[in-house]
Amino acid sequence: MTAHLMVTLSGQLAGVSVARLSGNAACDQAALRAVRRAVQFTAAPAGLTNARYSFVLSIRFAR
């Protein structure tokens, strides 16, 4: 599954969505919940000034 994340300059999650499904709806939803539960991401390095940054996160599921 691949997720699209928007993170603010301070490291707050501004949004998350599915960019590519894994084929297992339960796993996709669990992955999105895990990303949303992240308290905070690392703040952007000094010198970056955009209000938000976009990232693509690949998530693999293992048994």
Side-chain angles (χ1 to χ4, degrees):
M1 170 276 175
T2 304
H4 177 252
L5 284 67
M6 291 295 294
V7 180
T8 66
L9 188 63
S10 65
Q12 295 285 351
L13 181 66
V16 61
S17 61
V18 174
R20 186 175 56 207
L21 297 169
S22 70
N24 184 312
C27 286
D28 293 340
Q29 290 304 312
L32 290 176
R33 279 193 305 274
V35 171
R36 288 184 186 117
R37 279 187 289 202
V39 176
Q40 182 147 352
F41 296 91
T42 303
L48 296 180
T49 58
N50 291 350
R52 294 180 179 180
Y53 289 89
S54 176
F55 299 92
V56 175
L57 175 66
S58 294
I59 302 171
R60 289 188 174 189
F61 304 99
R63 292 182 184 208

